[in-house]
Amino acid sequence: MRTSRYLHGMPSARREHRQSPAISADDAAGLWTLLTGAPPATARERLLVGMAAAIQERGLAGSTVADVVRHARASRRTFYEHFRDRDECYLALYEVSVDRLVWLFENSLTPRDDWFAEIAGASEVYLTGLTAVPALARAGIAEMTSLGPRALEVRHAGLQRLADVLITLHDEARQRHADVPSREISPEQGLALMAGLHELVLVRVQEDRIEDVVTELAPVSARMTYLLGVVSPD
Amino acid sequence: MEAGYGSAMSTTPAATDGSATRERLIGGLALALKERRLVDVTMNDIVRHARVSKRTFYEHFADKEACFIALYREGCDRVAEEQARALRPEQQIGDLITRLTQVYLATMAAEPVIARASLSDIFGGGPACLAVRREQHERFAEGMRSLFAGAAQLQPGAGIRPMTLEMAAAVVGGINELVLREFDAGRGDRLQELAPTVDGLIRSVVLETR
């Protein structure tokens, strides 16, 4: 039941998880399907599912290798064959999540008459994907930065990839709406825009209201993109 | 700016006043950060540079993180002071944006060690650090919002678009990311090269036409 809600990105998922912290193997596999589009196939992927399940249960800070292997029904030995430690396992999960977000975002543009509505729609798809599993969103936005320099590198790389998608989407939209005077968004501007948006998401995570991210921030994201990429006055 | 923490230490050799000792400890951490990253700085490093005892340290701070948060807050205070000194809403809007960019990048470049720690380590420090980081971000976002709101009032017809606090917070977060990226890439001494990007970013948001 809960799995299908994750699949639909229901914002209520986190509250529900708080009431019943234990999550079943089916839930965990469903979570993985949500992240990758396919069930876990390898030992490594099952460990990453275990990591995701552990985070659902205890958050990133509270998750240990013991939790991961328990959820993955794997041995410690198997774990250490794939990952040096918990952090490395988490960062691998983070990268898988970014892959999924990049894919979602790349396919988020629905042609519409109105340039702004088009970008707002894409922003909504992106932010819905980002917050679909609130516990993972919290880990990726508010917790992972404390894992040290390697984590910050991984975060940087992820933000840049997402920024590049944003720039590409913007280019597509401006070609379709050639009547609106517009300009390219540079890689630096795109990065600043993405980082700025994530900053606003972080505030909502800190205020414990991830469920407000999509409705509150999709318009802000679209407006920022519009202001950076459109030449004419409002 | 470079004189900041170092000179405060040498000019207060026999400080008995509590706040002066506190400053010495913060200065001690600032010096220690020039040698190694925050995660590797030990209590011994801080008290050695501050020339006080560990016991004195614990009279002022619960732990290294608390001391770092104090250092971060002071760094932010100084950036805010520089901005308040250099920026006035009556300045012609184009000049005002250029100046805001210059002042921000110059204060970051003047104390690279503290700037980098403030952008990176405060982010990696856990909930207490994130809470203080957020408080300071909001302060700078509100500063930017009210600066341009004032400019819009004083310069009607200049095409200044009112900025929401949300938008200002996104701009502050975006600019900080660009600066952090420069530090991480070893280009901390060339922050001024970011000026056109930062300037363009603010112009896009604040000005109705280019």
Side-chain angles (χ1 to χ4, degrees):
Chain A
M1 183 58 200
R2 218 182 306 141
T3 303
S4 65
R5 286 196 185 165
Y6 292 140
L7 289 167
H8 293 105
M10 287 286 287
S12 62
R14 177 151 187 275
R15 295 237 161 99
E16 191 144 315
H17 139 237
R18 275 188 171 167
Q19 286 159 8
S20 63
I23 90 162
S24 73
D26 280 352
D27 281 345
L31 187 62
W32 184 258
T33 307
L34 172 71
L35 288 175
T36 65
T42 63
R44 185 173 187 275
E45 287 183 357
R46 279 188 289 276
L47 286 164
L48 294 180
V49 175
M51 183 81 234
I55 291 170
Q56 288 266 84
E57 214 169 81
R58 304 167 185 267
L60 175 57
S63 296
T64 62
V65 171
D67 296 322
V68 176
V69 297
R70 178 166 48 82
H71 283 291
R73 291 178 196 161
S75 67
R76 277 184 170 267
R77 187 180 155 162
T78 306
F79 180 92
Y80 288 110
E81 277 166 14
H82 290 89
F83 303 107
R84 195 171 50 240
D85 52 24
R86 182 205 67 165
D87 290 1
E88 192 181 290
C89 178
Y90 173 70
L91 292 179
L93 174 64
Y94 183 92
E95 286 178 321
V96 168
S97 309
V98 171
D99 288 343
R100 179 64 173 173
L101 271 176
V102 163
W103 182 86
L104 269 177
F105 200 21
E106 276 173 345
N107 293 286
S108 66
L109 207 60
T110 309
R112 296 185 198 180
D113 292 341
D114 177 6
W115 195 103
F116 187 83
E118 200 168 301
I119 295 289
S123 301
E124 201 176 311
V125 171
Y126 172 69
L127 292 169
T128 302
L130 181 67
T131 55
V133 187
L136 290 184
R138 172 174 294 274
I141 288 163
E143 293 190 281
M144 72 90 76
T145 53
S146 62
L147 300 185
R150 167 86 187 117
L152 291 179
E153 276 172 32
V154 170
R155 177 182 167 275
H156 277 177
L159 272 183
Q160 187 68 65
R161 285 181 65 196
L162 291 161
D164 292 344
V165 177
L166 179 86
I167 292 166
T168 309
L169 291 183
H170 170 68
D171 272 346
E172 280 176 34
R174 59 195 279 263
Q175 274 161 26
R176 201 166 15 249
H177 301 279
D179 53 312
V180 181
S182 59
R183 57 182 168 237
E184 279 185 2
I185 295 177
S186 72
E188 293 80 15
Q189 286 180 328
L191 176 65
L193 207 162
M194 226 6 152
L197 179 62
H198 275 234
E199 195 67 46
L200 302 180
V201 176
L202 173 61
V203 169
R204 280 149 187 84
V205 170
Q206 287 176 301
E207 289 174 351
D208 210 7
R209 48 189 199 91
I210 295 181
E211 65 274 17
D212 296 333
V213 163
V214 177
T215 46
E216 290 184 4
L217 296 185
V220 179
S221 166
R223 181 151 175 80
M224 290 288 294
T225 314
Y226 188 78
L227 292 180
L228 282 182
V230 169
V231 181
S232 65
D234 280 344
Chain B
M1 285 295 284
E2 191 53 39
Y5 291 104
S7 66
M9 297 196 32
S10 52
T11 53
T12 53
T16 48
D17 172 47
S19 71
T21 310
R22 192 169 181 279
E23 286 311 303
R24 282 178 74 118
L25 286 161
I26 295 171
L29 174 56
L31 288 174
L33 282 173
K34 293 190 179 180
E35 292 169 359
R36 47 186 66 106
R37 297 297 299 267
L38 181 66
V39 61
D40 300 318
V41 169
T42 64
M43 195 61 66
N44 281 331
D45 296 327
I46 301 174
V47 298
R48 175 166 50 83
H49 283 293
R51 295 180 199 163
V52 298
S53 68
K54 275 196 190 177
R55 187 181 153 163
T56 305
F57 179 93
Y58 287 111
E59 283 168 9
H60 292 272
F61 298 107
D63 51 26
K64 179 174 82 174
E65 183 179 89
C67 186
F68 176 63
I69 285 175
L71 172 67
Y72 171 74
R73 275 213 174 97
E74 287 198 0
C76 290
D77 286 348
R78 290 200 288 167
V79 175
E81 281 163 24
E82 291 291 323
Q83 290 183 350
R85 223 194 318 275
L87 308 170
R88 296 271 181 282
E90 61 268 26
Q91 285 157 359
Q92 192 274 329
I93 187 64
D95 293 344
L96 182 58
I97 293 173
T98 306
R99 235 186 243 225
L100 172 62
T101 302
Q102 293 297 338
V103 168
Y104 180 75
L105 294 178
T107 41
M108 288 287 168
E111 292 261 16
V113 170
I114 294 170
R116 185 172 186 197
S118 299
L119 290 170
S120 170
D121 293 328
I122 198 76
F123 204 24
C129 284
L130 280 183
V132 181
R133 176 181 181 275
R134 179 179 159 200
E135 149 206 308
Q136 294 298 323
H137 267 227
E138 275 175 5
R139 165 199 198 173
F140 284 107
E142 173 52 25
M144 188 186 282
R145 190 205 61 76
S146 66
L147 179 67
F148 291 122
Q153 213 163 36
L154 293 169
Q155 303 174 51
I160 304 171
R161 190 192 278 129
M163 196 187 222
T164 61
L165 186 59
E166 204 90 281
M167 203 70 88
V171 171
V172 169
I175 294 172
N176 281 343
E177 185 75 25
L178 294 177
V179 173
L180 178 57
R181 190 68 60 104
E182 293 302 298
F183 277 124
D184 285 349
R187 294 191 296 262
D189 54 339
R190 287 157 49 191
L191 287 187
Q192 286 301 330
E193 290 175 17
L194 273 182
T197 304
V198 173
D199 201 83
L201 200 65
I202 302 175
R203 267 165 212 273
S204 299
V205 175
V206 172
L207 293 183
E208 281 180 358
T209 50
R210 285 190 90 174

